[in-house]
Amino acid sequence: MINLAALDKNRPIHFVGIGGVGMSSLASLLGEQGYTVTGSDSAESGNVKALRKAGIEVTIGHDPSNVRVRTSVIVASLAAVGLTNPEVLRGREIGIRVADRAHLLGSVMAQYEESIAVSGTAGKTTTTTLFDRVLTGVGLDPTTVVGSPATPDNPNYRNGRGKYVVAEACEYYRAFHHIRPGTAVVLNMVPGDHGDYFPDPEDMYDAFDTFIGNIRQGGLLVTSADQPRTRNLGQGRDLRRVTFGFSPEADYQAVILGWDGGRARFAVLYRGELLGEIASGLLGKHNVTNTLAVIATGHQHGLTLDEMREPIESFTGAPRRLQFQGKRHGVNVWDDLACTPEEMKATMSALRGAAGTGRITVVLRPNSYSRVRDLLQHYPDAFTRDDRIVLTGIFRGRDKDTFGMTPKHVLKVLRKAGLNVQYVPDVKEAPNTESILGALHGMREGDTLITVGPNDIAPIGRAWLGSQA
């Protein structure tokens, strides 16, 4: 833990890789709380621009000279930048403490009377952002740390004045083990995700089980009843425990009453008793469970469904989480971060509810060679033969190895399943925007276009909206 109260706010906290979604939110939060914050990153980005606009000094490029002698702490996501980063090495050389981003998040959350940590391999950002909207809507003025890109309309943090803090709790590299929350939410566990770190599902389960063991004494676990592994978490531990989901065995059960343009209206039952009905502002069945997690947690914290209704029904999503981009020539354009075939399947199912009878074109960018290695055979499960797929190269991400995987492995498995797919190779490991836009010719009124993958695929949809084709 970092004793933030003991730090001299005039001495910089230096963030290495400050433009990352998780790093930028913490840097922005501490800057607004009066700490002197500096940082570096390898490239310009929207997050870097937002940080500079907030008055935070950001240097492009990693160099030992970026570390000032008076720096109090160096913060880095060590899984991303490594121990050999020149600024990390410089800090250790001159005796400055180097802390992982996860330690800092745990230290920030420890300052608040009520802390809610949102975990799971999918849905964390959407759910955390919805928590923010609900707690803000009922006047509790929370502090929030979210893992999404910062935009003018959607900052990735909130510096509240209330007793609540809400943050994403990431399982990768067991980062969430540095958090001791009052309330832990477990949305799901998708087998095979982060296969570069978790060798098998048991190792992932053990990581979540340890996280649950860190809940403060007398705290609360809110976990999904729809997966066997999450359903059994926390049993036998000395804590309050409730489950949520579609399962009749769930303490908080959602019962779908109908759909409107891909958005559900559903009843909420608490241990068999009707709490009320609510309409989701989000597309898809998977977002019903994300919303239900918020309802269950809020209810356990003394909120009523009526109090939570307006912020829930008006919430339309977080950046890059099935986000509507715009419309041109009658074609609706969407964007989604989905990293695994399981997430893609949920995204595509939700989108079909909104698309109706129109055709769907997907610009698909597989996220990381390790995921392709571990989940290759599941990619066809996300799509139907009515979909048109434009496949790009594989985004390297944190992978230092390709594991023998190439985009043609994905192409082969998609075509073997009878899917309509066209491959557009990358240029210097980046999407070939011009060629992708050329492959999108032929869309007509009533169709839907969606970009699926890491952040560098999102501009394709915006480019199509702005093109003259």
Side-chain angles (χ1 to χ4, degrees):
M1 286 285 184
I2 301 169
N3 186 353
L4 290 170
L7 293 183
D8 181 347
K9 290 189 174 183
N10 294 313
R11 296 180 61 188
I13 300 174
H14 184 73
F15 287 76
V16 181
I18 196 169
V21 289
M23 296 285 279
S24 64
S25 56
L26 278 174
S28 299
L29 175 65
L30 291 179
E32 191 168 316
Q33 290 181 348
Y35 292 89
T36 301
V37 175
T38 62
S40 64
D41 209 280
S42 59
E44 298 283 355
S45 66
N47 286 341
V48 167
K49 290 177 183 176
L51 289 160
R52 286 190 178 131
K53 188 176 180 180
I56 293 173
E57 179 186 325
V58 180
T59 304
I60 299 304
H62 297 301
D63 190 274
S65 63
N66 294 334
V67 179
R68 301 174 186 174
V69 175
R70 294 189 68 254
T71 297
S72 59
V73 180
I74 293 174
V75 180
S77 178
L78 296 176
V81 305
L83 294 172
T84 58
N85 177 277
E87 295 173 26
V88 171
L89 291 174
R90 174 60 176 164
R92 290 185 164 177
E93 178 186 325
I94 60 177
I96 296 172
R97 178 178 180 180
V98 177
D100 192 85
R101 185 252 180 200
H103 287 92
L104 178 60
L105 177 61
S107 302
V108 167
M109 297 186 74
Q111 299 179 109
Y112 292 82
E113 182 180 340
E114 296 284 356
S115 56
I116 300 173
V118 182
S119 71
T121 53
K124 293 187 291 293
T125 297
T126 296
T127 307
T128 303
T129 308
L130 181 53
F131 267 118
D132 176 80
R133 298 297 189 274
V134 168
L135 295 175
T136 301
V138 300
L140 291 173
D141 197 15
T143 292
T144 314
V145 181
V146 185
S148 65
T151 69
D153 297 328
N154 288 284
N156 55 10
Y157 77 101
R158 186 177 192 277
N159 182 29
R161 298 293 185 269
K163 66 179 182 178
Y164 277 88
V165 61
V166 187
E168 295 186 36
C170 184
E171 72 282 357
Y172 191 60
Y173 269 75
R174 291 173 163 79
F176 55 7
H177 288 179
H178 301 290
I179 300 170
R180 293 186 59 80
T183 297
V185 179
V186 181
L187 298 170
N188 45 53
M189 273 187 256
V190 177
D193 198 10
H194 298 310
D196 60 323
Y197 179 73
F198 295 110
D200 52 55
E202 289 302 320
D203 192 45
M204 180 181 284
Y205 179 86
D206 288 345
F208 274 87
D209 189 55
T210 300
F211 167 59
I212 298 311
N214 286 343
I215 296 173
R216 297 174 190 173
Q217 186 174 6
L220 171 67
L221 170 63
V222 182
T223 187
S224 170
D226 291 338
Q227 293 183 335
R229 288 181 174 276
T230 55
R231 186 186 310 133
N232 296 327
L233 275 172
Q235 289 185 343
R237 291 188 182 274
D238 183 20
L239 46 75
R240 293 160 50 214
R241 182 180 178 279
V242 294
T243 59
F244 65 92
F246 294 106
S247 169
E249 298 176 3
D251 293 307
Y252 290 87
Q253 182 190 5
V255 179
I256 303 292
L257 302 175
W259 294 90
D260 182 8
R263 296 171 177 84
R265 182 167 189 83
F266 59 99
V268 179
L269 281 69
Y270 175 52
R271 294 175 178 166
E273 297 293 325
L274 180 66
L275 288 183
E277 299 176 6
I278 197 161
S280 175
L282 301 169
L283 291 177
K285 189 175 181 180
H286 65 297
N287 276 320
V288 173
T289 54
N290 291 337
T291 302
L292 189 61
V294 174
I295 292 170
T297 307
H299 190 250
Q300 287 292 308
H301 280 261
L303 302 180
T304 68
L305 186 61
D306 283 341
E307 287 176 311
M308 294 184 274
R309 184 181 311 283
E310 193 283 328
I312 287 174
E313 295 191 340
S314 63
F315 178 62
T316 57
R320 300 226 59 230
R321 273 64 177 181
L322 202 45
Q323 183 181 27
F324 183 65
Q325 299 288 290
K327 186 171 186 174
R328 187 171 73 89
H329 299 329
V331 176
N332 289 310
V333 180
W334 298 78
D335 175 52
D336 192 76
L337 181 69
C339 298
T340 68
E342 185 76 15
E343 292 170 337
M344 294 171 194
K345 186 176 181 180
T347 292
M348 294 303 295
S349 174
L351 193 64
R352 288 187 189 99
T357 58
R359 300 178 306 170
I360 299 177
T361 296
V362 185
V363 181
L364 172 63
R365 185 159 178 77
N367 191 339
S368 85
Y369 289 97
S370 55
R371 286 193 179 102
V372 171
R373 175 197 63 187
D374 297 334
L375 303 170
L376 178 63
Q377 300 304 319
H378 297 287
Y379 276 83
D381 299 342
F383 309 104
T384 73
R385 295 188 179 189
D386 293 327
D387 300 328
R388 181 166 66 125
I389 304 168
V390 178
L391 175 68
T392 77
I394 299 170
F395 177 71
R396 180 177 291 275
R398 288 180 282 243
D399 288 338
K400 294 179 174 61
D401 193 348
T402 66
F403 309 104
M405 293 290 103
T406 71
K408 292 187 178 179
H409 286 90
V410 183
L411 181 66
K412 182 178 179 180
V413 77
L414 293 174
R415 283 183 172 164
K416 186 177 180 181
L419 298 172
N420 178 7
V421 56
Q422 176 181 350
Y423 171 49
V424 178
D426 283 358
V427 176
K428 296 181 180 178
E429 294 196 342
N432 187 334
T433 300
E434 184 177 350
S435 295
I436 293 171
L437 292 178
L440 297 179
H441 282 303
M443 287 191 293
R444 57 178 182 258
E445 185 173 357
D447 285 358
T448 295
L449 169 64
I450 182 169
T451 50
V452 176
N455 290 338
D456 67 350
I457 201 64
I460 297 296
R462 297 192 291 271
W464 187 87
L465 286 167
S467 69
Q468 300 302 310

